[in-house]
């Protein structure tokens, strides 16, 4: 009798592979550094005080991340204003914080110009301070002993300035090396390279 040969089955199509992608992110400094104090108006900073701490930087030295650390006074400071160039708008802005507790930390982001970011810190330490009577980021004339201005510079070309890439979450799927070389006990998920020895569990789309 004539033996019917099974039709050749094509190999299964390859499964698309999902590869991890990377996205730039600000890089944190392994060793946070203090900004450089360039000028002082009024009372000098207490010995060892470092109120501006650099914590990281952005892609291509475009901006720096820093914290305002209230180590200027052991008590609460009524009013602190910071003047710096905003990274998003590119304009010089003034941010004001009221009742700043000792040891508190507040994060900021400043744009860089000519590899430097400049931060001016205005501090008022009086107990009877009226915030409505004083314009933020300015010194009164004549200057009161309770007002202080500290001017800082932050270098933008830090060692931690290059961004790191974070792979996206997800599994990488790859196709199998090819069809199986021998019959399997259970129905296969795809065509095999040769007929099976035992009857299949149900109708098939091609002769066995």
């Amino acid at each position: 009798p004539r033996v019917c040969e099974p039709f050749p089955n094509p190999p299964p199509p390859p499964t698309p592979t999902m590869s991890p992608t990377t996205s730039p992110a600000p890089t944190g400094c392994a060793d946070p550094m203090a900004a450089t104090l360039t000028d002082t108006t009024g009372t000098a900073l207490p010995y060892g005080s470092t109120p501006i701490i650099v914590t990281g930087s952005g892609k291509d030295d475009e901006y720096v991340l820093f914290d305002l650390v209230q180590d200027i006074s052991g008590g609460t400071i009524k009013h602190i204003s910071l003047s710096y160039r905003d990274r998003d708008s590119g304009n010089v802005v003034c941010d004001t914080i009221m009742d700043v507790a000792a040891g508190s930390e507040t994060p900021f982001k400043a744009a860089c110009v000519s590899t430097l970011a400049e931060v001016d810190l205005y501090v008022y330490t009086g107990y009877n301070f009226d915030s409505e009577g004083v314009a933020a980021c300015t010194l009164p004339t004549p200057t009161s002993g309770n007002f202080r201005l500290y001017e800082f510079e932050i270098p933008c070309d830090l060692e931690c300035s290059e961004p790191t890439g974070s792979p996206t979450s997800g599994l990488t799927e790859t196709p199998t090396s090819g069809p199986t070389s021998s019959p399997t006990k259970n129905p296969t998920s795809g065509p095999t390279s040769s007929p099976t020895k035992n009857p299949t569990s149900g109708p098939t789309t091609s002769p066995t």
Side-chain angles (χ1 to χ4, degrees), residues 66-145:
F66 67 93
D67 285 347
L68 167 63
V69 180
Q70 206 288 72
D71 63 356
I72 302 171
S73 171
T76 298
I77 296 179
K78 295 294 292 181
H79 181 115
I80 293 181
S81 293
L82 291 92
S83 174
Y84 59 94
R85 189 173 297 277
D86 181 63
R87 183 252 179 175
D88 297 322
S89 67
N91 298 323
V92 176
V93 297
C94 179
D95 287 339
T96 298
I97 311 173
M98 303 298 297
D99 298 322
V100 188
S104 62
E105 299 181 8
T106 308
F108 291 91
K109 182 189 298 183
C112 297
V113 177
S114 300
T115 70
L116 283 177
E118 297 180 347
V119 180
D120 293 342
L121 185 63
Y122 296 81
V123 179
Y124 182 78
T125 58
Y127 291 100
N128 298 318
F129 178 71
D130 181 8
S131 60
E132 296 181 358
V134 176
C137 296
T138 61
L139 289 177
T141 305
T143 302
S144 166

Side-chain angles (χ1 to χ4, degrees), residues 131-205:
S131 60
E132 296 181 358
V134 176
C137 296
T138 61
L139 289 177
T141 305
T143 302
S144 166
N146 291 326
F147 283 92
R148 308 175 187 177
L149 168 60
Y150 305 110
E151 300 176 45
F152 294 91
E153 285 185 349
I154 302 173
C156 298
D157 52 348
L158 305 173
E159 291 184 359
C160 57
S161 59
E162 290 298 325
T164 57
S166 300
T168 57
S169 60
L171 300 176
T172 300
E173 299 179 2
T174 55
T176 57
S177 58
T180 56
S181 59
S182 59
T184 56
K185 295 181 180 180
N186 298 319
T188 60
S189 58
T192 57
S193 60
S194 60
T196 55
K197 293 181 179 180
N198 298 320
T200 58
S201 59
T204 59
T205 56

